[in-house]
Structure formats: structure tokens, C-alpha cells
Amino acid sequence: MARQVIHHEYDAVIVGAGGAGLMAALEASKRCRVAVVSKLYPTRSHTGTAQGGIGAALGNLEPDSWEWHMFDTVKGGDYLPDQDAVEVMCREAIDVVYSLEHMGLPFNRTPEGKIDQRRFGGHTMELGKAPVRRACYAADRTGHMILQTLYQQCIKQGVAFFDEFHLTDVLVSGGRCAGVVALCLATGELHCFRAKAVLLATGGFGRMFKVTSNAHTLTGDGCSIVFRRGVPLEDMEFFQFHPTGIYKLGILVTEGARGEGGVLLNGKGERFMERYAPTMKDLAPRDMISRAIYREVQEGRGVDGKDYVHLDLTKLDPDVVERKLPDITDFVRTYLGVDPVKELVPVQPTAHYAMGGIPTNTNAQVVADAKNSVLTGLYAAGECACVSVHGGNRLGTNSLVDIVVFGRRGGRHIAESVGKMELPPLPSDALSRSHEEIGRLTSNLGGESAAAIRTELQQVMMDRVSVYREETGLKEALATISTLRSRYRKVEVEDRSLSYNTELQEALELGYLLDLAWATTVGALARTESRGAHSREDFPKRDDANWLKHSLAFATDGNIKLDYKPVSITRFQPKERIY
Ligand SMILES: Cc1cc2nc3c(=O)[nH]c(=O)nc-3n(C[C@H](O)[C@H](O)[C@H](O)COP(=O)(O)OP(=O)(O)OC[C@H]3O[C@@H](n4cnc5c(N)ncnc54)[C@H](O)[C@@H]3O)c2cc1C
């Protein structure tokens, strides 16, 4: 069965229809012809699961300022964030939240009708004095509301949607991006999109770990595809574990639950966070709380000697829990048979968020080397990108800000740039990589299935490259990943049909996960310090003299070469991180 090829031309193609992609599409479509290519129906994107809130210093309930938000973000990220980018994000967060409100986003309200705000980990007033109410929210469905709001605006604006189209390649010719290739899942056709600008907004890759809050679709496709095309990946060793995943399942219980007053208890019923973070306690940043849970468990204070602790919401007003946290209450009742209003909820850290990704500048343009040289025509925004506003550890509510702020900036930059440009010529072999990759997977005979390799990958990443890391374990993980990569070359997709071949799609996704796990582990082995979410038992201290720098992983001839670039420090000099 030959795969048909269909050609399209647009000013801009946005890949991904989460918050970042839709915001970029909305902005760009004000001035040019835009297509959105998404492997999911847009409102199924992972942004729709974001629960707790979007941070912006509106100061609706108590004094707040974008400078405090900036300080918290820089400190939360263990001084690795680029401060010029953080400043842009925290300043523009305010305007972007109001513009979402004006588009119709149904935020929770204060009695006077202002946008309500709640507390979240690491967000403080007056540079660390006390927790502050900064997270704007729509119950525990904030991301869902962002997605619905932006999607309807895009429809109104006439954006062309190619839903259930899986990106297979990003085309680069004459040193600039010329378009993308995508597989139509319904028909098996390959579609070639020639475009003046391409913005990748393909989301994260938590699926490389066994226990994760991430949807099955979060396999880092965009990151891996451009990595194969020679674009480096930045700060891949920083992967966040969220402290409160539902035990064994990894499904997230939002930090908003602690923002509303929930507390963590160890097996002895103690509020252990008081010992690790005397001021912020249960609202310390996620990296610290995840490590604290691991320590409690290691020292025998897990619940019933097992590897979990309890989240206690029983002291809260049941009405607040039902009203402000309805979805997570429902999850806990459904998946655990536990009623969080009356009983303790078993939780453990769950792989949650990729701080690293495709390096960009503050206009979301991809920068392809340590000198920040722009790769013309290629943009990235949202979780797949690394601008870098989160550095070593992201604060809760800052991803939703990141995706809408930098999605909007990318969309605007595209709108301003493409008018002056001609459509770039397509490379002569535009379709060859996609044909070759799909052809190999569907013609291998007698190979194993993708599922077995994926399970082993997720296990080794969970065991060796998670909250705590050390040299021997990382080397073991690298050896396993290398074996799994060779086994992957022989994977056989038995289903040869063209329509909705999910076996083929999963095999492609496994290839991406293997690349990203490899880059993560290589970066983690090289970084001989502990900073943010990257915690080396053999190098427990932060080492600013040698490691206050971003890593860049390049794929070269079957190997990974690391390079480094400086951190932008404008207002806040690195200090010890005490909460
Ligand atoms: C359970 C959960 C709760 C969260 N809660 C919060 C919160 O309260 N506050 C906060 O700030 N952050 C939160 N986060 C993080 C935040 O939601 C995400 O980081 C953010 O929404 C990512 O948005 P995005 O637009 O970059 O990508 P996503 O929303 O993940 O969208 C990715 C898009 O890329 C498309 N795509 C991927 N691969 C391909 C391909 N090969 N071809 C075509 N399309 C492709 C998908 O179809 C999808 O449309 C949460 C995350 C999770 C998992």
C-alpha cells in the first residue's frame, strides 16, 4: 500500500494545540495564514489537565508585584533561570491573564468580583517573607478553561486545524526552517507543509518515567525530531518530580490542595516539612518536598514502612474542598476509594515536568548553539521549549504562564516577520526521512514490540534517573538505554494498515522517548553538582563556580556532545536557597 503525499502551503504552521500552540496560532492568525497540526484533537491536549492555577502578580487579595514573582521564580529555579526571560514572563503574566479573562475565561472570583487567587509552592511576598496569593484559578480546571477559551478564539479567527496529524519531520533547507511533514492518522497519508515559519509546541515527555502525571501522549516528539536535525536540547538533566502523585498511579493531586491548607504527614503522623522548610513548610518548592518525601521513606518513616506519605485534607472545610478542588476529590474517590474530606490520601512523587527542551530566545525563536544563533523560521514555545524561565526547578503555576506568555510572543514575532518573507524552497528530499522511518518500522520482520522496550526504559529511568541520582546508577541507566536503542532499530510494527495505526504511532513515540532519556541521562552524569531537581547523592552541594551554566546536548554521529552557555543574571545574585 503506497502512502499518498499531499502538499500544503501556509505562512505559519504551529505544531501542537495545547495552550502554547493555540496562543501562538491566535496571535499569528491576526496577520497571516496559519495552520495548526496536532496529533490530538486540540482540547485533549495536556494543558487541559492543568489543575491548580496560573501565577500572576495581580495583587487582588494582598499586596504583590511582578518583581517578587520574578525573585521567587529565579530562587525556585535555583538561580539557573535566565533572568531577562523571567522578567519578561512575570511582567507580561499580568496582562496575559487579563486578556484571557476578556476572552471569557471563567476564573473563580472574590466577593467583589475580582479574579480570586490562592497560594502555591514557592510563591512569596517581599522576597521570601511569607506565602502570597498569586495563583489565579478556575476551580481545579484552570488548564481546561484556558484550552477551551483559546480554542474557540482560534475557530473564530479562522485558523485551519489539522487534527490527528502526527508530526514526523521538521524540514531545514539552506540553514532555515522550510516546513514540516506529518502523518494523517485517519488515512495514513503523509502531508508536507511548506511554511515561512514553524512553531513547535509539542509539550513535555514525562512518559519516559514509570510513575508520571503526564498523559500517554507526552513523548517529546518535537524535541526529539529537531534534536535529530542537529538542534541542541538545553538543560535536559532537570526533570521535575511533583511531590503529590496518587500512590502508584502517578495521577496528580494539585499543589492547590496544599495552597488551600492541606498538609503532608509521614508514617508517624508528623508534619515533616516543618523540619525541611521552616518558613514555607508544605508550600516549599517541589524539588525540596519530593526529596523530603524520599528521605522520610528512606529513614523508615513512610506510611506502614512503604514508599509513600499522606496528604491530609481532613482539617479543611469540606465545602472548600468540594468547591475549589472538585476534580481531584473525584479522582481520589474514584481511583483509590478514599474520601479526602474524611480520610488521608496516600501520595508519592510523580514525574511531572521537563524544565529542559528546545533552546529559544524571548521571542520563542529557536537558538541553535551556545552563541544563541537564531535558526531562521523555527520557533518553539511551551513545555517543549527552554527559554529558560524555570532553570533547575519550575514553580507551580509558572508553566501556564510560560505557555501563554511565550506562545503569544512567538505568534506575534511570526506575524511581524512573515510579511517580508518569501516561502522558502523545500529540500529535494523533503519526504525521505519520514518515508524511511515509517518504512523501517513497518517492514522489520520478526522484531520485538515497542511495548516491552518502553516498559524497560520507564523502569530504569524511574530507578536510576529520578529524584536522587549518582554516578553508578546513571552509568547503568546509560548502558541500558544504549541496549534499548539498538533493540529499537529492530522493532516490528505488525499492524500494516494505514488508518489509525496506533501501533505505528506508539513505535514512533518510543523512538522519541529513547532519544530524550538518553540526553537526560548524559546531562545528569556530566553535571557533578546538585541544583534544583537535579540531585546527585555523590555531589550534594550546588557548585556555582563550575556549574552555574546551561547545558546543551547535541546529537552527533551516534553520540551526544555537550556544550554549555552562560546564565543571564540581571537583578538577583545567586544565594543559598532557604525556605
Ligand atoms: C496533571 C497536570 C497538571 C498540571 N497543572 C498545572 C498547573 O496547575 N499550573 C501550571 O502552571 N502547570 C501545570 N501543569 C503543567 C502544564 O499544564 C504543562 O506544562 C503545559 O500545559 C504544557 O502546555 P503545552 O502547550 O506546551 O503542551 P500540551 O498542552 O502538552 O500540548 C502538546 C500538544 O502537542 C501536540 N503534539 C505532540 N506531539 C505531536 C506530534 N508528533 N505531532 C503533532 N502534534 C503533536 C499534542 O497534540 C498537543 O496538542 C500540569 C501538568 C499536568 C500533567
Side-chain angles (χ1 to χ4, degrees):
M1 276 178 292
R3 262 169 220 281
Q4 285 202 1
V5 176
I6 294 163
H7 287 271
H8 308 265
E9 289 183 355
Y10 282 91
D11 290 322
V13 172
I14 313 291
V15 187
L22 292 180
M23 193 53 140
L26 183 59
E27 277 303 310
S29 66
K30 292 179 182 163
R31 303 257 291 273
C32 60
R33 279 183 70 237
V34 177
V36 173
V37 169
S38 172
K39 72 178 177 182
L40 296 171
Y41 185 77
T43 50
R44 293 187 60 217
S45 304
H46 193 73
T47 297
T49 69
Q51 304 169 348
I54 173 165
L58 307 184
N60 280 354
L61 292 114
E62 49 199 12
D64 199 3
S65 80
W66 67 261
E67 284 101 333
W68 297 348
H69 188 185
M70 175 178 173
F71 170 78
D72 292 337
T73 303
V74 170
K75 180 178 169 190
D78 223 349
Y79 294 90
L80 193 66
D82 282 326
Q83 296 188 16
D84 52 348
V86 180
E87 176 162 343
V88 165
M89 180 177 82
C90 297
R91 277 174 183 269
E92 293 187 14
I94 299 169
D95 176 62
V96 87
V97 164
Y98 286 131
S99 80
L100 287 168
E101 180 191 34
H102 297 164
M103 287 177 208
L105 198 151
F107 283 111
N108 276 43
R109 300 277 161 186
T110 64
E112 315 82 72
K114 292 180 183 169
I115 295 176
D116 198 7
Q117 297 186 276
R118 64 179 161 208
R119 297 187 175 127
F120 242 80
H123 290 277
T124 73
M125 58 173 72
E126 294 177 49
L127 315 185
K129 288 226 172 97
V132 72
R133 295 177 195 276
R134 187 177 287 147
C136 312
Y137 64 100
D140 53 1
R141 305 181 186 117
T142 314
H144 174 85
M145 294 307 179
I146 291 179
L147 216 45
Q148 300 289 336
T149 304
L150 291 174
Y151 185 48
Q152 63 192 11
Q153 294 292 320
C154 284
I155 296 288
K156 180 173 144 207
Q157 196 78 24
V159 171
F161 277 92
F162 292 83
D163 299 335
E164 302 187 328
F165 277 61
H166 180 113
L167 175 79
T168 52
D169 202 3
V170 171
L171 303 173
V172 179
S173 107
R176 76 172 323 284
C177 180
V180 299
V181 180
L183 173 71
C184 171
L185 297 175
T187 61
E189 299 151 348
L190 282 174
H191 288 240
C192 181
F193 295 82
R194 186 176 165 205
K196 298 175 188 173
V198 168
L199 184 140
L200 299 176
T202 50
F205 38 92
R207 280 283 147 186
M208 65 187 182
F209 294 98
K210 184 176 165 205
V211 176
T212 176
S213 66
N214 282 197
H216 285 276
T217 53
L218 289 179
T219 45
D221 311 10
C223 296
S224 160
I225 287 169
V226 294
F227 181 57
R228 293 174 190 178
R229 284 282 179 193
V231 173
L233 296 176
E234 183 172 343
D235 290 341
M236 290 294 284
E237 57 271 36
F238 296 97
F239 201 97
Q240 175 171 84
F241 277 70
H242 190 296
T244 59
I246 294 180
Y247 183 48
K248 286 194 178 157
L249 302 175
I251 297 172
L252 195 76
V253 177
T254 173
E255 198 169 282
R258 280 170 285 132
E260 297 292 351
V263 297
L264 292 165
L265 303 176
N266 64 16
K268 295 165 98 182
E270 297 164 341
R271 270 193 79 179
F272 58 92
M273 279 315 298
E274 290 178 340
R275 279 188 272 118
Y276 297 87
T279 308
M280 294 298 283
K281 301 184 180 109
D282 299 277
L283 288 176
R286 293 173 179 172
D287 57 332
M288 294 180 91
I289 302 190
S290 290
R291 280 195 292 276
I293 295 177
Y294 264 61
R295 281 282 173 250
E296 291 299 298
V297 166
Q298 239 171 20
E299 290 166 16
R301 293 186 296 276
V303 176
D304 295 335
K306 299 215 179 90
D307 55 346
Y308 68 90
V309 294
H310 276 137
L311 175 66
D312 182 4
L313 303 179
T314 60
K315 310 281 183 310
L316 305 188
D317 176 354
D319 185 48
V320 169
V321 178
E322 304 281 0
R323 225 170 7 90
K324 294 195 174 174
L325 303 164
D327 275 6
I328 62 139
T329 311
D330 197 40
F331 291 158
V332 172
R333 285 184 184 135
T334 306
Y335 296 110
L336 288 178
V338 164
D339 185 352
V341 173
K342 302 191 197 113
E343 297 165 90
L344 303 177
V345 184
V347 291
Q348 74 178 154
T350 182
H352 186 57
Y353 184 84
M355 268 75 72
I358 306 164
T360 70
N361 62 23
T362 52
N363 285 321
Q365 294 175 284
V366 171
V367 289
D369 57 26
K371 293 195 206 98
N372 290 326
S373 315
V374 167
L375 202 166
T376 306
L378 186 61
Y379 296 74
E383 192 170 336
C384 72
C386 179
V387 46
S388 126
V389 283
H390 311 301
N393 170 61
R394 171 174 75 79
L395 290 189
T397 79
N398 268 357
S399 174
L400 292 181
V401 189
D402 171 6
I403 66 178
V404 288
V405 166
F406 292 103
R408 187 167 81 166
R409 289 178 76 87
R412 278 188 185 160
H413 197 271
I414 289 174
E416 284 158 13
S417 317
V418 295
K420 301 165 221 143
M421 288 181 191
E422 297 289 311
L423 267 175
L426 283 178
S428 54
D429 58 349
L431 272 301
S432 63
R433 278 204 188 194
S434 303
H435 273 306
E436 193 249 323
E437 194 181 2
I438 294 171
R440 175 173 52 78
L441 289 167
T442 49
S443 60
N444 273 345
L445 287 179
E448 63 184 313
S449 77
I453 298 179
R454 189 177 54 226
T455 308
E456 285 181 47
L457 175 72
Q458 291 169 333
Q459 188 69 55
V460 76
M461 291 300 286
M462 200 70 204
D463 292 344
R464 303 279 177 249
V465 200
S466 66
V467 172
Y468 278 107
R469 300 154 172 192
E470 48 77 45
E471 185 177 334
T472 323
L474 289 169
K475 285 189 170 157
E476 245 176 77
L478 263 188
T480 308
I481 293 167
S482 161
T483 314
L484 296 176
R485 283 169 56 82
S486 5
R487 277 166 55 189
Y488 177 70
R489 282 189 273 280
K490 299 199 197 74
V491 156
E492 178 186 357
V493 173
E494 284 181 13
D495 183 355
R496 304 283 151 98
S497 57
L498 291 176
S499 182
Y500 288 110
N501 188 338
T502 50
E503 193 189 350
L504 170 62
Q505 199 185 5
E506 283 181 21
L508 289 167
E509 290 170 342
L510 172 63
Y512 310 141
L513 287 177
L514 283 164
D515 283 353
L516 303 176
W518 183 33
T520 303
T521 311
V522 167
L525 184 59
R527 190 175 279 271
T528 48
E529 66 156 354
S530 290
R531 179 187 300 273
H534 170 68
S535 202
R536 287 279 302 252
E537 301 215 74
D538 41 356
F539 296 94
K541 293 234 157 55
R542 193 175 85 195
D543 175 2
D544 286 341
N546 294 302
W547 287 107
L548 185 55
K549 57 189 179 186
H550 298 290
S551 67
L552 294 173
F554 292 83
T556 47
D557 306 328
N559 255 313
I560 288 184
K561 196 173 120 279
L562 291 174
D563 197 359
Y564 293 92
K565 65 177 183 181
V567 175
S568 146
I569 296 174
T570 56
R571 287 171 186 252
F572 302 109
Q573 287 304 316
K575 287 214 180 89
E576 199 188 344
R577 219 160 141 242
I578 299 170
Y579 281 92

